[in-house]
Amino acid sequence: MCLAIPSRVTEVSESEALVDHGGVKKRVKLDLLDESVKVGDYLLIHTGFAIQRIPPEEAEETLRLFDELLRAAFDDEGPPLPGSS
Amino acid sequence: MMKDLRFRDRAKAEELARLIARLAPEEPVKLVHVCGTHEVTITEFGLRSLLPPQVEILEGPGCPVCVTPVKHIDEAVALAEQGHIVATFGDMARVPGTHQSLEDARSAGADVRIVYSVADAVELARKTDREVVFFAVGFETTAPTVAAAMLDGVPENFSLLVSHKLIPPAMAALVQGEHDISGFLAPGHVSTIIGMEPYKIFPERFGVPVVIGGFEPLDILYSIALLLRQLRKGEPKVENAYTRAVRPEGNLKAQAILAEVFEVTDHYWRGMGPIPGSGLKLREEFAAHDARERFGLEVESNEALHPGCRCAQVITAKARPDQCPLFQKACTPRTPYGPCMVGEEGMCHIWARYGGRPKL
Amino acid sequence: MTIKQDERITLLHGAGGQLMGELLARLLKRFTKTSVGGGLGLKELDDGAVIPLLGKNLVFTTDSHVVQPLFFPGGDIGRLAVAGTVNDLAVMGAQPLALSCGLVIPEGFPISELERILESMDRALEEAGAALITGDTKVLGHGELEGLIINTAGLGLAERVVTDAGLRAGDKILVTGTIGDHGMALLAHREGLGFETTLESDVAPINRLIARALEAGGEGITAMKDPTRGGLAACLNEMARKAGVGIMVHEGAIPMREEVRGLGELLGINPLEIANEGKAVIGVAPERAEAVLEALRSHPQGLRAALIGEATADYPGKVILVTEVGGKRFLENPIGDPVPRIC
């Protein structure tokens, strides 16, 4: 449930921002955010409201987490579950 | 670049799929998510075809329109038939009530509008003298947007038909008593609002691992791998695999806005029955904008499932859609019998559209 | 056949999905003589009908057009009415000769707008190289009709008819350009959703583009269809079903504008399920595929033409999508017009 799409901020006013997702622009409300927003930030948009700011370094961080798991899991997989080989 | 936030690299997906195959035990593992958008990603990207056969991923009650009680749909239809403008999300339009859906009512001449946001419905009310009723469905992600609109101030002719639901109590209903759920893939965007805390009961009280997952195909494969690793280690806990959108504490401002406008109430889930503390209702101060108070609605509704319909099992992850005798025979997206087929996000509906887990 | 008293036509019946197919199957049974001289007729439900005549093939088709709004980014109802009919002829392998135009106009409709629409029709006819040779006009009283209805019928001549049923296992599947433009441009423009885009409908007559493909492909072109209502998904399903072959399509190979993809994600609507009005799907024998692709790309309307998949002996009647991440699923026939979702 709950379709929410990360979109980039292109304009900010007091309680609204204009965001861009793949060239599609939409005015969204910022009422639910507890931090300030600036042009270039990514916001998670659900039904016309920003529900979270996505820090720019988090995209890198996500990829790092994927790789960390891939590395770690092949090094040490922990004790096998009963019945598994 | 937005591309950086689309995690769809094929080589990485293959690597994660290989890891999942290595982490998977020999015996069946049943992972349950409770989110229509998770199901869309899983089916739309064909992720089930990348999983080993013993790892099954099923949708619990994650489609808010599917679990909307028939009574609420009947109320919305009744309001539309009385000549009021009923605005709602596209998802809700085709879900049948006792006699008809909102789309049926529109075919018969009622004024039913599809909106993208509650803000659009408020705007609609500002431009007309007629009564505008917003049929407010959705989980913890959507309810704060409706609450924010109320706090922002709405015109006198605007009211809400509230049918908001809360996810953790429904998840708890799945694991109370006998169950064979190995782990939960928790809904990322609900978690954006509520944080990690509400899921702690699952590992602590029920021994069921929880991973909060994002919505890109790699997010989901990664989350499945984390769940399997937890199972392997035998240490159930709540893990956050969607750190870019979910803080441990959630979105505190959204939580506060939600609590200012709504209070928790018991709620009836179509296909599941009543679940204590699983719904929201408007607080007393907003009674003037509560459509039920305002229009004194009385409808006669039939909540009973069709005989033979296994939605109660599908919606509680006890059966797959293709294990129901009615699936794609009597029960199709256009002639839905039960809640999992009525909404576009229902597991039966999605499987009917995308072909479920085909042997490919 | 009895019709239940309470059955009513809903919008879904006209959306080009499964429901429309069932309604058509039911209604068409009522006609007894449905073809002429052994040519393709009503039963084949192809893009047009064929009358064999003096060693050639006269291709005949008709289409009624309604669209809201009447003027949209990239086109208008007039251009749509010409392109729709011309393209139906073109994907049958025919060069369009002449069109008719039936107008149903509501009382009070501004004449200046009507003139704009007809001028736009004329420009599209010129692009197609076809003439408008007959027509009819009706006016309905206030409140009896919203908007405007334009019906066009078209006649064309084909040396060799190409149906939408001729795919053979092993054939390559080409599309002539980006997918989803028309449907997404209209959705973006639709009142109430509040999206701003520079998206434009792809509405255009593409008979000259198709002619180029036919020249390059010759007998190697086995099937053609235009992916209008129901989009690429409905089009491929129909081609697979009619030919009794499977179709395997590679998602990553399907040309798509970034804005179409973006709006699709925002609205929860799959661009493969929405209308195109200036595109064709072409089945080609593998040995001719490169030549046809090259010919398409040499035309300004075909710059983004692409090979997106192939017909298979496995899974007859089904379309399989190999997704961006390498998963596989069936690409099903859409049920009706997709609605935006939030959940």
Side-chain angles (χ1 to χ4, degrees), chain B residues 73 75-95 100-115 121 124 130-135, chain C residues 11 190-191 339:
Chain B
I73 298 163
E75 287 172 333
V77 168
L79 286 166
E81 283 176 336
Q82 283 169 26
H84 309 307
I85 299 174
V86 173
T88 191
F89 297 124
D91 318 48
M92 208 61 231
R94 290 176 190 162
V95 183
Q100 53 180 344
S101 66
L102 282 167
E103 190 168 86
D104 297 334
R106 183 169 61 188
S107 298
D111 196 346
V112 175
R113 311 279 181 97
I114 304 299
V115 292
L124 196 61
R130 293 168 61 196
E131 288 284 337
V132 174
V133 182
F134 180 66
F135 190 8
Chain C
L11 285 173
R190 192 181 282 178
E191 201 187 355
V339 285

Side-chain angles (χ1 to χ4, degrees), chain B residues 30 58 310 313-321 323-324 347:
Chain B
K30 184 191 279 187
L58 294 179
R310 297 199 65 198
Q313 284 80 42
V314 172
I315 223 161
T316 52
K318 290 187 168 70
R320 290 192 314 266
Q323 292 168 327
C324 172
M347 188 156 181

Side-chain angles (χ1 to χ4, degrees), chain C residues 46 135 274 308-309:
Chain C
D46 208 320
I274 58 168
I308 61 165

Side-chain angles (χ1 to χ4, degrees), chain B residues 322-349:
Chain B
D322 56 350
Q323 292 168 327
C324 172
L326 302 180
F327 178 70
Q328 285 294 68
K329 296 188 179 78
C331 180
T332 69
R334 289 190 353 258
T335 53
Y337 278 62
C340 351
M341 189 64 96
V342 297
E344 302 243 334
E345 304 309 297
M347 188 156 181
C348 292
H349 197 289

